[in-house]
C-alpha cells in the first residue's frame, strides 16, 4: 500500500443547525482542546494527493455552514486518475472472484467501524436527521455486502454454455470492460456513491469517480476506508470538484472504456458527455433522474460494464 | 504434386427470378417511394445490372416507422409469445424451403461463392430464426427480468458482407422479443432482403411487423435518427457506428453496434500445422475476407514461421478464384468497385511502407471486381495493413517469440471483435483466451458461427451481443 497520510482521527463534529462560525469554533468554546481538522484531498492510485492545480473550493453543509475546503480537480488530475485506473486493471481483473468478494466485504467491515463518523458527515452534507443519516450509512454498508456476494456469482448468471450445432466446446463468460468513469449522484453522498462504485469494481473493472460536487466530503472519507481494505491502489480513484469541468475530460478520455453518467443532473452536459464518449465507443449509462438508492439494486449497473467473451474449441479424439 | 484441372460446375441461376425493379416493403406490401429515387444493384462478378431498387426518402422512412409502430402496438406487441413463435418457425421453414434460390440470389448480388452461401449463410439464416422462435414464449426464463417487455420499434441497418444472415441476426431476436422492425439492407446487396419480404408475405406475417426499406447511407441516417424509433441496431464500419452513437446521444434510444475488427490469429510452435494452415486460410479468405471477424493478422511464433509460411503459400496456390456460382470456387468477387479500391489502396500502402507482398499465380476474370489472395510478410505493428481493417483477402503476417508478446501484439488494436489461437497445449489455450481482449475467441478453429453462440466486440468493435441468450438482451426493455 502507498504511504498515505492516514486520517485516523474523526473530523470535527459537524455543525447541527447553527450559523457560522461552525465546527471548530463550537468545539473550541465547549472544550479546552482545539480540534484537529481534516484536509480533504483527492484519492488517486491509492494515495491522497492535492489537486496538481493547487485549487480548492469551499464545501458547505446543507444549512450553509462552511465545512471544509475540498480539492478542485483539474484535467491533469483526471488524466492521472485514468492512468492509475488503467495500471490497476490487470491485477484487479486478474484477482480471483473470491478475493475480490472478500475485499468488498472488508470494505463493509471498515465502514461499519466508522459508522458514526459517516453518519455525522452525511448528516451535515445532506441535512438529514440523525436517524435518517444512520439509515443511509447502514444501507451503504449493506450494499457493499450485497455486491461482495456477486463477485463469484455474476459469471454464473450472465455466462452461458452454448449448445452449438457441431462438435465444439462453446462457453460464454463475462469479463470486466476495463476502466470505467463514474459520475456519482449529486444528492446521495454516501449511499448513492457506494451504489455506483460497488457494481463497477466487484467484477474486476477499475474506476475514476467524480464525487458529488456539493457534497464531496463523504467520498474522501470513503477513500480512507478503501485505502485500508486491501483494495489495490488505483481500483477506485476519487476526484472532487466541478463535474461540468472534469466530466467532459473524463468522457472524452480515450483510455476509458465505459462511463456511468447516472449522476449528471444537467441534460445538456449529459448529452455533451455522451457524444464525447462515442469517440472510442464507450459503454454508457445515460443520466437518470430520481433513482431510489434505498431500494435493492437491480443488475443493470452490474451487467453494464461486462463484456461477454465466447470461446470455441473443437471436440475430437 | 500434379495439378488437376477442374471442369466448370456452375450452379444454375434459373432458380431465381429477379424483377427489373423493386419498391419498398412497408406494412406488408411493396410500395413505390414517394421520392421516386432509385439505384441499381449489380452483379459484382460481371458488373451486369440486376435490378433497379428504390431509394427511401424521409417520407418513406416515416411511413415505414409508422407501420412498424402500428404493428407493434396493435398486433405484435400484444400477441402471445407462443403465436409469435409460430410465425418465426414459419419464416425459418420457408427459408429452408427456398434455400437454394436464396443461396443463388445471394451469390449473384454479393459475389460470394455458392459453396459458402449454400453451406454457411442460408443454413445459418434458417437456424437463427428457428433458435429465436423458441425463445418467443420463454422470455421470462432468459434471465433479463421476471416480466420481460419488448422495447418497441427497432431501426436496423446491416452490411453487405452477409446480407441475409445479418438480416436474420437482426430480425429474429427482435421479433422473438415482441418488437417490430424497419430494416435497411446495404445499398449493394438488397435483393435477398427483398426476397425475405416475399417470405414474410408467404408466412402471412401481420403487416407492419417487418418493413424493409432500401437505400444508401442517407436512408440509414434517416432511419436511425427517426424520433419514433426506440432501438437502433447497426452492423458495419466503426466510423459509421461512432456517428450513430453520437447522433442518438441525449435520446432514450437503445443501441447495439457490431463494428470492425482486426483479429489476431495466433499460431504457437506446437500447433497442429496442417489444421492451422486450413484455419488461417478459412480465417482470412472466407467470404473474400469481407468478414468483420476475419483473422487478418497472422501472429506466428518465430521458430515455425518459415515452414508455416511455406505451407500456407502452397495452400494459397490451390485456392480457386472466379465465378461465384461455380461450385468449385473458393474465392468469389469483391463486392463493389469502391471496396476493391480500398483493398488496392491499403495493399499499395503495405508495399510502400516496406512490407513484402506475395500472391499465388492467379488468373482473374476480365469483367467484375476481383482481387487475388494476398500475403504480406515483414509487417510491423505500425504498418497500416497491421492496424486498419482491409475487409478483403489480404493477410498481414507478424511474428512473436513468447506468449506474452503474442498477447501484447494481439491486443494492440483499438478493435476487439475476435481472435484465434492455435496450440496443442490446453492450459495455454485457456490462459491466452483469458488474456485476449476480444468478444469471440476461436481456439484451434476459426470463423465458426451458431445461433446459440453470442457474437460481438470489445472496445471499438462495438457493444452488445448478437446470438444466444445474450442476443435477447438488446431487444428487451430493462
Amino acid at each position: 500500500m502507498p504511504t498515505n497520510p492516514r486520517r485516523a482521527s474523526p473530523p470535527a463534529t459537524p455543525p447541527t443547525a447553527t450559523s457560522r462560525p461552525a465546527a471548530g469554533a463550537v468545539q473550541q468554546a465547549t472544550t479546552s482542546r482545539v480540534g484537529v481538522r481534516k484536509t480533504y484531498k483527492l484519492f488517486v492510485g491509492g494515495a491522497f494527493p492535492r489537486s496538481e492545480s493547487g485549487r480548492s473550493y469551499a464545501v458547505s453543509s446543507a444549512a450553509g455552514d462552511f465545512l471544509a475546503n475540498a480539492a478542485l480537480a483539474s484535467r491533469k488530475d483526471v488524466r492521472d486518475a485514468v492512468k492509475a485506473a488503467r495500471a490497476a486493471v490487470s491485477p484487479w481483473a486478474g484477482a480471483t472472484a473470491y478475493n475480490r468478494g472478500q475485499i468488498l466485504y472488508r470494505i463493509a467491515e471498515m465502514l461499519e467501524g466508522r459508522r458514526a463518523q459517516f453518519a455525522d458527515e452525511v448528516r451535515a452534507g445532506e441535512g438529514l436527521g440523525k436517524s435518517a443519516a444512520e439509515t443511509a450509512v447502514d444501507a451503504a454498508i449493506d450494499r457493499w455486502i450485497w455486491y461482495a456476494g456477486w463477485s463469484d456469482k455474476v459469471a454464473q448468471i450472465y455466462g452461458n454454455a452454448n449448445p452449438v450445432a457441431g462438435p465444439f466446446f462453446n462457453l460464454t463468460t463475462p469479463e470486466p470492460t476495463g476502466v470505467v468513469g463514474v459520475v456519482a449522484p449529486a444528492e446521495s453522498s454516501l449511499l448513492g456513491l457506494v451504489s455506483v462504485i460497488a457494481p463497477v469494481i466487484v467484477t474486476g473493472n477499475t474506476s475514476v469517480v467524480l464525487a458529488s460536487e456539493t457534497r464531496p466530503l463523504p467520498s474522501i472519507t470513503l477513500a480512507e476506508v478503501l485505502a485500508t481494505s486491501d483494495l489495490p491502489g488505483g481500483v477506485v480513484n476519487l476526484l472532487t470538484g466541478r463535474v461540468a469541468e472534469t466530466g467532459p475530460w473524463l468522457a472524452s478520455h480515450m483510455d476509458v472504456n465505459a462511463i456511468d453518467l447516472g449522476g449528471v443532473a444537467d441534460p445538456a452536459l449529459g448529452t455533451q458527455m455522451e457524444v464525447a464518449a462515442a469517440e472510442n465507443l464507450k459503454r454508457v449509462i445515460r443520466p437518470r433522474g430520481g433513482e431510489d438508492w434505498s431500494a435493492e439494486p437491480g443488475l443493470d449497473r452490474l451487467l453494464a460494464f461486462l463484456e461477454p467473451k465466447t470461446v470455441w474449441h473443437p471436440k475430437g479424439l | 504434386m500434379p495439378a488437376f484441372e477442374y471442369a466448370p460446375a456452375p450452379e444454375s441461376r434459373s432458380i431465381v427470378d429477379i424483377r427489373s425493379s423493386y419498391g419498398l416493403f412497408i406494412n406488408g406490401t411493396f410500395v413505390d417511394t414517394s421520392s421516386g429515387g432509385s439505384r441499381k444493384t449489380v452483379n459484382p462478378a460481371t458488373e451486369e445490372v440486376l435490378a433497379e431498387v428504390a431509394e427511401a426518402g424521409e417520407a418513406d422512412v416515416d411511413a415505414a416507422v409508422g407501420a412498424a409502430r402500428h404493428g407493434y402496438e396493435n398486433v405484435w406487441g400484444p400477441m402471445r409469445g407462443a403465436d409469435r413463435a409460430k410465425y418465426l418457425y414459419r419464416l425459418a421453414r420457408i427459408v429452408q424451403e427456398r434455400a437454394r434460390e436464396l443461396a443463388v440470389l445471394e451469390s449473384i448480388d454479393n459475389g460470394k461463392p455458392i459453396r459458402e452461401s449454400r453451406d454457411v449463410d442460408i443454413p445459418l439464416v434458417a437456424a437463427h430464426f428457428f433458435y429465436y422462435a423458441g425463445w418467443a414464449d420463454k422470455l421470462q426464463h432468459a434471465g433479463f427480468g421476471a416480466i420481460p417487455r419488448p422495447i418497441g420499434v427497432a431501426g436496423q441497418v446491416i452490411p453487405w458482407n452477409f446480407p441475409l444472415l445479418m438480416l436474420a441476426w437482426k430480425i429474429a431476436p427482435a421479433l422473438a422479443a415482441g418488437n417490430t422492425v424497419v430494416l435497411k439492407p446495404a445499398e449493394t446487396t438488397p435483393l435477398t432482403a427483398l426476397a425475405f419480404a416475399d417470405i414474410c408475405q408467404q408466412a402471412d406475417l401481420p403487416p407492419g411487423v417487418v418493413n424493409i426499406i432500401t437505400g444508401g447511407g442517407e436512408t440509414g441516417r434517416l432511419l436511425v435518427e427517426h424520433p419514433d424509433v426506440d432501438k437502433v441496431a447497426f452492423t458495419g464500419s466503426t466510423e459509421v457506428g461512432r456517428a450513430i452513437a453520437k447522433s442518438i446521444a441525449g435520446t432514450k434510444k437503445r443501441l447495439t453496434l457490431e463494428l470492425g475488427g482486426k483479429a489476431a490469429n495466433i499460431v504457437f510452435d506446437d500447433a497442429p500445422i496442417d489444421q492451422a494452415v486450413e484455419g488461417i486460410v478459412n480465417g482470412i479468405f472466407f467470404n473474400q475476407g469481407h468478414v468483420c471477424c476475419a483473422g487478418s493478422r497472422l501472429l506466428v511464433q518465430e521458430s515455425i514461421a518459415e515452414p508455416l509460411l511455406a505451407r500456407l503459400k502452397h495452400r494459397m496456390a490451390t485456392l480457386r478464384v472466379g465465378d461465384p456460382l461455380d461450385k468449385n470456387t473458393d474465392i468469389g468477387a469483391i463486392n463493389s468497385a469502391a471496396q476493391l479500391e480500398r483493398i488496392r489502396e491499403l495493399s499499395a500502402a503495405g508495399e510502400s511502407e516496406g512490407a513484402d507482398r506475395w500472391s499465388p499465380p492467379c488468373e482473374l476474370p476480365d469483367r467484375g471486381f476481383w482481387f487475388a489472395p494476398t500475403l504480406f510478410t515483414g509487417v510491423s505493428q505500425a504498418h497500416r495493413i497491421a492496424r486498419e481493417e482491409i475487409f478483403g483477402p489480404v493477410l498481414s503476417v507478424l511474428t512473436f517469440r513468447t506468449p506474452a508478446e503474442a498477447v501484447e501484439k494481439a491486443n494492440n488494436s483499438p478493435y476487439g471483435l475476435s481472435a484465434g489461437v492455435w496450440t496443442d497445449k490446453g492450459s495455454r489455450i485457456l490462459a491466452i483466451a483469458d488474456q485476449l481482449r476480444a468478444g469471440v475467441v476461436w481456439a484451434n478453429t476459426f470463423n465458426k458461427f451458431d445461433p446459440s453462440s453470442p457474437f460481438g466486440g470489445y472496445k471499438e468493435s462495438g457493444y452488445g451481443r448478437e446470438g444466444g441468450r445474450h442476443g435477447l438482451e438488446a431487444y428487451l426493455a430493462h
Side-chain angles (χ1 to χ4, degrees):
Chain A
M1 292 305 293
T3 53
N4 299 334
R6 297 236 294 262
R7 306 284 156 179
S9 55
T13 307
T16 46
T18 53
S19 56
R20 285 164 177 274
V26 172
Q27 206 168 51
Q28 204 173 351
T30 53
T31 70
S32 56
R33 184 171 176 274
V34 176
V36 179
R37 295 186 185 176
K38 180 158 83 182
T39 306
Y40 289 86
K41 297 192 282 189
L42 306 174
F43 183 54
V44 175
F48 290 85
R50 290 192 169 81
S51 170
E52 64 78 37
S53 66
R55 304 180 304 172
S56 66
Y57 69 113
V59 176
S60 302
S61 73
D65 300 317
F66 173 77
L67 289 176
N69 289 309
L72 185 60
S74 67
R75 179 178 196 169
K76 178 69 161 66
D77 294 321
V78 171
R79 284 162 48 196
D80 289 347
V82 171
K83 195 174 168 189
R86 174 59 61 195
V89 167
S90 179
W92 183 241
T96 63
Y98 180 37
N99 184 227
R100 286 198 303 269
Q102 287 184 94
I103 289 174
L104 260 71
Y105 187 82
R106 178 76 176 160
I107 294 170
E109 290 179 344
M110 295 294 100
L111 200 49
E112 178 89 12
R114 297 168 72 161
R115 208 169 148 261
Q117 180 192 4
F118 276 100
D120 285 346
E121 278 195 0
V122 167
R123 197 178 167 192
E126 300 186 19
L128 300 176
K130 185 166 187 291
S131 99
E134 283 172 355
T135 301
V137 174
D138 290 348
I141 296 167
D142 294 352
R143 188 125 311 156
W144 281 113
I145 292 175
W146 192 78
Y147 276 114
W150 273 117
S151 71
D152 49 9
K153 293 160 196 76
V154 68
Q156 293 182 312
I157 63 126
Y158 198 52
N160 223 79
N162 306 307
V164 297
F168 293 92
F169 162 93
N170 180 300
L171 194 71
T172 300
T173 316
E175 292 191 345
T177 196
V179 175
V180 180
V182 176
V183 181
E187 309 295 322
S188 183
S189 58
L190 181 68
L191 177 56
L193 179 70
V194 168
S195 302
V196 293
I197 295 177
V200 168
I201 66 170
V202 67
T203 55
N205 294 296
T206 65
S207 62
V208 175
V209 183
L210 307 184
S212 166
E213 183 170 324
T214 53
R215 300 169 177 178
L217 304 188
S219 74
I220 297 305
T221 308
L222 179 69
E224 296 160 10
V225 166
L226 302 175
T228 52
S229 301
D230 290 336
L231 187 73
V235 174
V236 175
N237 303 276
L238 279 152
L239 302 177
T240 53
R242 309 279 180 227
V243 171
E245 186 187 10
T246 49
W249 290 325
L250 182 60
S252 62
H253 198 297
M254 293 296 275
D255 206 23
V256 173
N257 299 95
I259 193 160
D260 180 351
L261 301 177
V264 178
D266 171 13
L269 177 63
T271 301
Q272 182 198 344
M273 289 174 70
E274 191 181 346
V275 169
E279 195 56 38
N280 66 336
L281 295 156
K282 289 180 184 71
R283 289 79 176 112
V284 175
I285 288 183
R286 292 204 176 109
R288 307 170 166 184
E291 286 191 69
D292 175 9
W293 299 110
S294 64
E296 182 181 293
L299 298 181
D300 287 16
R301 281 197 158 80
L302 194 66
L303 304 186
F305 305 122
L306 291 173
E307 305 286 345
K309 174 190 278 179
T310 302
V311 179
W312 292 67
H313 194 279
K315 294 176 184 174
L317 295 173
Chain B
M1 209 166 76
F4 294 101
E5 263 313 305
Y6 286 73
E11 178 72 43
S12 167
R13 63 178 282 180
S14 64
I15 195 169
V16 301
D17 179 19
I18 302 175
R19 293 184 234 158
S20 59
S21 71
Y22 288 87
L24 308 168
F25 184 66
I26 296 175
N27 210 29
T29 54
F30 280 96
V31 296
D32 291 333
T33 67
S34 50
S35 63
S38 71
R39 65 174 70 216
K40 296 175 172 62
T41 183
V42 304
N43 179 341
T46 61
E47 298 177 57
E48 158 207 7
V49 173
L50 296 168
E52 291 257 352
V53 177
E55 179 91 2
E58 196 167 355
D60 304 311
V61 172
D62 209 45
V65 172
R69 172 64 57 194
H70 189 267
Y72 172 67
E73 285 177 357
N74 298 289
V75 184
W76 200 249
M79 188 183 286
R80 294 189 323 130
D83 289 337
R84 290 201 308 271
K86 287 180 191 168
Y87 281 112
L88 286 164
Y89 282 124
R90 279 190 195 174
L91 294 172
R93 282 305 201 207
I94 299 175
V95 168
Q96 288 175 328
E97 288 156 14
R98 296 174 59 175
R100 186 56 53 91
E101 171 203 347
L102 292 168
V104 172
L105 187 59
E106 196 77 299
S107 282
I108 291 172
D109 202 20
N110 168 279
K112 66 175 64 199
I114 185 72
R115 184 166 57 80
E116 293 177 8
S117 52
R118 182 195 63 202
D119 297 347
V120 180
D121 292 59
I122 306 305
L124 277 173
V125 170
H128 226 81
F129 277 102
F130 207 87
Y131 174 80
Y132 279 107
W135 270 122
D137 55 359
K138 302 169 189 68
L139 296 171
Q140 68 274 28
H141 303 294
F144 303 112
I147 313 166
R149 289 172 292 112
I151 300 172
V153 174
Q156 307 176 318
V157 178
I158 58 171
W160 44 260
N161 57 340
F162 295 93
L164 195 62
L165 183 55
M166 292 299 101
L167 174 148
W169 282 26
K170 294 281 179 287
I171 292 183
L175 263 49
N179 306 276
T180 57
V181 307
V182 179
L183 177 133
K184 188 195 86 69
E187 62 200 70
T188 61
T189 55
L191 296 185
T192 46
L194 293 164
F196 183 78
D198 187 52
I199 289 172
C200 292
Q201 289 180 327
Q202 288 188 336
D204 282 331
L205 192 71
V209 174
V210 168
N211 304 275
I212 310 274
I213 56 169
T214 46
E218 176 61 13
T219 304
R221 192 187 63 77
L222 288 168
L223 174 58
V224 163
E225 295 182 11
H226 194 287
D228 206 27
V229 164
D230 302 303
K231 152 80 193 169
V232 174
F234 172 76
T235 296
S237 72
T238 289
E239 186 191 350
V240 174
R242 185 178 286 134
I244 290 173
K246 287 179 183 176
S247 76
I248 66 152
T251 71
K252 291 195 184 324
K253 287 177 190 172
R254 293 260 307 271
L255 176 64
T256 42
L257 297 170
E258 204 271 88
L259 308 175
K262 193 71 192 177
N265 202 357
I266 306 170
V267 183
F268 284 98
D269 59 6
D270 65 340
I273 292 294
D274 287 338
Q275 288 172 43
V277 166
E278 286 307 305
I280 293 163
V281 166
N282 175 41
I284 187 60
F285 301 121
F286 173 62
N287 202 34
Q288 297 74 246
H290 299 330
V291 186
C292 46
C293 53
S296 54
R297 284 185 298 154
L298 173 62
L299 299 184
V300 55
Q301 197 152 22
E302 203 175 85
S303 50
I304 57 157
E306 220 172 287
L308 181 113
L309 286 173
R311 289 212 211 184
L312 178 59
K313 287 178 175 178
H314 184 258
R315 176 68 180 87
M316 282 171 68
T318 69
L319 292 171
R320 299 174 62 81
V321 183
D323 181 5
L325 287 183
D326 191 312
K327 293 164 195 163
N328 294 320
T329 293
D330 296 306
I331 298 181
I334 301 302
N335 180 251
S336 66
Q339 186 57 30
L340 180 60
E341 183 49 40
R342 172 160 175 83
I343 298 168
R344 283 178 173 158
E345 189 227 320
L346 274 164
S347 299
E351 280 182 282
S352 66
E353 289 183 343
D356 298 316
R357 178 175 181 163
W358 181 86
S359 286
C362 184
E363 231 176 273
L364 300 178
D366 298 333
R367 292 186 59 77
F369 316 126
W370 304 94
F371 199 88
T374 299
L375 184 75
F376 278 99
T377 50
V379 179
S380 92
Q381 294 189 83
H383 289 163
R384 285 181 69 195
I385 53 170
R387 293 183 290 119
E388 295 179 32
E389 185 174 42
I390 300 173
F391 225 63
V394 181
L395 179 65
S396 301
V397 184
L398 297 90
T399 59
F400 68 91
R401 291 183 179 174
T402 65
E405 186 187 351
V407 169
E408 172 76 30
K409 284 183 169 168
N411 288 340
N412 184 12
S413 167
Y415 296 116
L417 187 53
S418 65
V421 52
W422 298 82
T423 169
D424 254 357
K425 191 174 173 185
S427 59
R428 180 183 279 159
I429 289 172
L430 297 177
I432 298 285
D434 267 359
Q435 293 173 60
L436 292 170
R437 300 276 295 157
V440 183
V441 177
W442 287 293
N444 291 329
T445 185
F446 210 94
N447 272 347
K448 290 287 181 288
F449 308 93
D450 191 274
S452 71
S453 178
F455 182 94
Y458 283 41
K459 299 191 277 186
E460 293 184 30
S461 289
Y463 37 76
R465 293 293 177 268
E466 294 183 294
R469 186 172 66 82
H470 291 77
L472 287 171
E473 191 182 8
Y475 291 98
L476 291 172
H478 56 75

